[in-house]
Amino acid sequence: YCNNLDSVIIPGSINKISEQLFTNCENISTITILNGVEIIGQQAFGGCSSLKKVVIPASVKKFGTRILSGCTSLEVLTVSR
């Protein structure tokens, strides 16, 4: 419930995005995950209803379930491979 966040950049020095880390952060519009992150936990971004753009690098090897559940405004999902 981080209602003051409007964008997030997750550095490559982070190995794992924890489960439900940004759940219900309703004002986030953009999430950029930099190369180096390997795991995105279950429902990490669930309920981010203003989320429009997500960038996921090729370094991500494991995705939890429902990572974008409830992201009703999502327009762009970029997954590098």
Side-chain angles (χ1 to χ4, degrees):
Y1 298 99
C2 305
N3 292 324
N4 292 326
L5 290 176
D6 60 6
S7 66
V8 173
I9 298 173
I10 300 172
S13 59
I14 302 294
N15 182 48
K16 178 182 179 181
I17 300 170
S18 298
E19 293 181 3
Q20 301 179 340
L21 183 62
F22 294 102
T23 296
N24 295 321
C25 295
E26 295 178 353
N27 292 322
I28 293 177
S29 62
T30 304
I31 295 172
T32 302
I33 303 168
L34 300 180
N35 198 39
V37 175
E38 296 180 357
I39 301 167
I40 301 176
Q42 179 176 309
Q43 293 183 328
F45 311 113
C48 295
S49 58
S50 296
L51 186 59
K52 293 182 180 183
K53 180 180 179 183
V54 178
V55 177
I56 299 174
S59 62
V60 175
K61 306 293 185 218
K62 183 176 179 182
F63 295 88
T65 60
R66 302 171 47 97
I67 63 170
L68 297 169
S69 174
C71 297
T72 55
S73 297
L74 191 61
E75 296 173 359
V76 178
L77 174 61
T78 303
V79 181
S80 299
R81 288 287 165 203

